[in-house]
């Protein structure tokens, strides 16, 4: 099933370029050049993600973002802000009102598409999903972890780390990738923080002999290996 992405951008060249590159990736693309056009599309289509420019002819993209995030019908719709502004204040405001990511123009289409895919992976998993690996089971809706049917208590960050690893087994991730995927790009986290939470996760799994599944790849990062 094709995913629907709405581009809200008033500059025709940027809009057409984005539409072309996203269509090549297999997405269904809708476009709007103003807030008025965008609002009609937001509420009449089953959207998967919105790319939102800040400077629009009939208002501020920040105001539209704020409106969407306060509306129960669309508040869970992922939003990536696109803007020529690189002021830290704009970024902070965007994240405070609920934007999921922030990309400053000019940007690489490849980087933007990578961010779109990462954001959709984080937000599109069904609420009642469960993950199973090497006797470890995670119930995502209830935020519960089990090993061999024994309940395992772990912190929220350790749980998110384990969810990410179990969705990507046998792949090596460096610390910066883990920060982006688990903590998010909007949060400032030192890479050594990753090591602390990896140690905590191993400690939690050790009584069941599962601490070895989080493997250190020297000089690179970590992976989940059976």
């Amino acid at each position: 099933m094709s995913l629907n992405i709405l581009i809200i951008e008033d500059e025709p060249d940027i809009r057409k370029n984005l539409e072309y590159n996203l269509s090549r990736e297999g997405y269904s693309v809708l476009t709007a050049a103003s807030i008025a056009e965008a609002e009609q599309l937001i509420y009449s289509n089953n959207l998967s993600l919105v790319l939102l420019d800040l400077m629009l002819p009939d208002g501020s993209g920040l105001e539209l973002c704020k409106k969407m995030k306060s509306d129960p019908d669309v508040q869970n719709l992922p939003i990536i802000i696109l803007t020529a502004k690189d002021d830290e204040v704009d970024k902070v405001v965007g994240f405070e009102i609920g934007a999921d990511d922030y990309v400053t123009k000019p940007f690489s289409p490849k980087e933007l598409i990578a961010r779109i895919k990462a954001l959709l992976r984080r937000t599109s998993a069904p609420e009642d999903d469960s993950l199973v690996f090497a006797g470890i089971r995670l119930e995502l809706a209830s935020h519960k972890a089990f090993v061999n049917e024994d309940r395992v208590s772990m912190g929220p960050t350790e749980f998110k780390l384990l969810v990410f690893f179990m969705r990507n087994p046998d792949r090596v991730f460096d610390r910066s990738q883990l920060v982006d995927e688990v903590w998010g790009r909007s949060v400032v986290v030192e890479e050594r923080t990753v090591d602390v939470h990896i140690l905590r996760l191993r400690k939690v799994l050790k009584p069941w002999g599962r601490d070895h599944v989080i493997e250190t790849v020297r000089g690179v990062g970590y992976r989940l290996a059976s």
Side-chain angles (χ1 to χ4, degrees), residues 127-178:
E127 286 298 313
D128 57 354
D129 243 358
S130 63
L131 299 170
V132 179
F133 184 91
I136 304 168
R137 188 176 87 254
L138 302 181
E139 301 292 344
L140 303 187
S142 59
H143 214 271
K144 294 179 180 178
F146 302 86
V147 177
N148 298 334
E149 302 307 318
D150 295 332
R151 178 74 183 276
V152 180
S153 178
M154 65 179 69
T157 301
E158 286 72 50
F159 188 88
K160 288 173 68 176
L161 263 173
L162 194 51
V163 167
F164 179 70
F165 278 127
M166 289 176 68
R167 283 177 172 161
N168 301 277
D170 298 314
R171 290 183 56 190
V172 180
F173 296 94
D174 63 31
R175 290 165 180 81
S176 64
Q177 288 174 312
L178 292 172

Side-chain angles (χ1 to χ4, degrees), residues 9-42:
E9 167 62 64
D10 65 324
E11 295 185 35
D13 289 344
I14 295 177
R15 194 168 61 243
K16 290 177 182 177
N17 181 268
L18 287 171
E19 184 176 8
Y20 171 75
N21 282 284
L22 291 173
S23 297
R24 286 188 63 187
E25 290 292 319
Y27 297 111
S28 294
V29 182
L30 299 89
T31 64
S34 67
I35 291 176
E37 289 180 20
E39 288 184 326
Q40 292 181 358
L41 295 171
I42 289 166

Side-chain angles (χ1 to χ4, degrees), residues 208-223:
W208 290 271
R210 295 296 190 277
D211 51 313
H212 70 278
V213 300
I214 309 297
E215 185 177 90
T216 300
V217 180
R218 190 174 298 277
V220 183
Y222 299 99
R223 71 178 167 196

Side-chain angles (χ1 to χ4, degrees), residues 10 17 43 48 55 76 87 91 98-99 107 121 150 154 160 167 177 190 205 219:
D10 65 324
N17 181 268
Y43 293 97
S48 304
M55 304 295 289
N76 293 322
D87 192 324
K91 293 184 180 182
F107 50 80
R121 283 198 302 269
D150 295 332
M154 65 179 69
K160 288 173 68 176
R167 283 177 172 161
Q177 288 174 312
E190 292 185 9
L205 297 174

Side-chain angles (χ1 to χ4, degrees), residues 3 27 48-49 78 115-125:
L3 299 178
Y27 297 111
S48 304
L49 183 140
R115 290 197 183 196
I116 288 171
K117 290 179 177 179
L119 181 53
L120 289 173
R121 283 198 302 269
R122 295 200 303 267
T123 59
S124 64

Side-chain angles (χ1 to χ4, degrees), residues 40-58:
Q40 292 181 358
L41 295 171
I42 289 166
Y43 293 97
S44 61
N45 292 273
N46 183 23
L47 299 177
S48 304
L49 183 140
V50 171
L51 298 177
L52 175 60
D53 185 36
L54 283 192
M55 304 295 289
L56 295 165
D58 55 347

